[in-house]
Amino acid sequence: MRQVMRIFIALIAFGPAMAGIAVADQKFPSRPITLIVPFSAGGAVDIVGRLVGEQLSKALGQSVIVENVTGAGGTIAATRAAKAAPDGYTILIGNLGTQVASVGNYKNLPYDPRADFASIIVVANAPEVLLVNKDSPFKSLRDFVAYSKSTDRPVTIGHAGVGSISHLTYLLFRKLSKISCSRGLSWRPRGRQRRDRRAG
């Protein structure tokens, strides 16, 4: 099973007054731009955000400050971006978690992904893959599923946090594979997840 997480840049919705921002403010950007990344440093979204920020800075001739705002599957970051001044100086690196899955995950989501944001461009597609330690006995997905069904010991599958795309992918995988004795474990930051996975 292969799920793809789309990563894109979203500007907070500008409304009619912002349609002519380039005309109204010929000096834009006249100060640093904040690029909000909804996950901790070192993960895929963070790496993409920093690469995008670097290129934006070169293209605009202005500093782009990457700010990692973590928690609640990225919705804390998205909320912060949605409530920022609609002046073009706040950009969110969004993904399916912040802009799609969040609608179903949170009853009282403090922002509207459709009304509060305007998508600019898709900058990356990141596959969700299942990885195990290279010294484990599993050589295929079939091996992993068979073992999970044959043992009473819970199989731990790491994800990026409740409500994240990797968490939803885990839940879908558990349902489709009919694995009953498995547990999802939220690892933050991502760097620790990689170290723990290599250690077995």
Side-chain angles (χ1 to χ4, degrees), residues 87-155:
D87 54 11
Y89 286 93
T90 301
I91 300 175
L92 172 71
I93 292 289
N95 64 8
L96 292 178
T98 59
Q99 308 306 116
V100 180
S102 58
V103 177
N105 288 334
Y106 301 95
K107 184 177 181 180
N108 297 312
L109 193 67
Y111 62 89
D112 185 332
R114 290 176 296 181
D116 294 336
F117 296 91
S119 298
I120 300 175
I121 187 174
V122 175
V123 294
N125 286 325
E128 297 285 344
V129 296
L130 181 65
L131 301 173
V132 297
N133 185 284
K134 64 181 181 63
D135 296 323
S136 76
F138 312 125
K139 304 305 177 185
S140 67
L141 183 61
R142 189 187 301 268
D143 292 343
F144 180 81
V145 172
Y147 172 82
S148 300
K149 290 182 176 181
S150 67
T151 182
D152 293 330
R153 180 182 177 184
V155 175

Side-chain angles (χ1 to χ4, degrees), residues 20-184:
I21 184 172
V23 176
D25 185 0
Q26 296 292 345
K27 295 181 180 180
F28 180 87
S30 59
R31 56 185 171 84
I33 293 172
T34 297
L35 191 152
I36 298 177
V37 173
F39 301 104
S40 58
V45 180
D46 176 66
I47 292 172
V48 169
R50 293 181 185 280
L51 291 173
V52 169
E54 181 181 357
Q55 294 304 313
L56 275 177
S57 181
K58 291 179 180 178
L60 298 175
Q62 184 58 262
S63 297
V64 175
I65 301 172
V66 176
E67 184 175 343
N68 296 88
V69 180
T70 64
T75 59
I76 294 177
T79 299
R80 179 165 179 172
K83 295 182 180 301
D87 54 11
Y89 286 93
T90 301
I91 300 175
L92 172 71
I93 292 289
N95 64 8
L96 292 178
T98 59
Q99 308 306 116
V100 180
S102 58
V103 177
N105 288 334
Y106 301 95
K107 184 177 181 180
N108 297 312
L109 193 67
Y111 62 89
D112 185 332
R114 290 176 296 181
D116 294 336
F117 296 91
S119 298
I120 300 175
I121 187 174
V122 175
V123 294
N125 286 325
E128 297 285 344
V129 296
L130 181 65
L131 301 173
V132 297
N133 185 284
K134 64 181 181 63
D135 296 323
S136 76
F138 312 125
K139 304 305 177 185
S140 67
L141 183 61
R142 189 187 301 268
D143 292 343
F144 180 81
V145 172
Y147 172 82
S148 300
K149 290 182 176 181
S150 67
T151 182
D152 293 330
R153 180 182 177 184
V155 175
T156 300
I157 300 178
H159 56 75
V162 175
S164 65
I165 290 298
S166 56
H167 175 238
L168 297 180
T169 301
Y170 152 71
L171 294 176
L172 178 61
F173 170 70
R174 189 173 69 174
K175 180 178 180 180
L176 294 177
S177 62
K178 299 179 180 178
I179 295 175
S180 58
C181 69
S182 67
R183 62 177 183 175

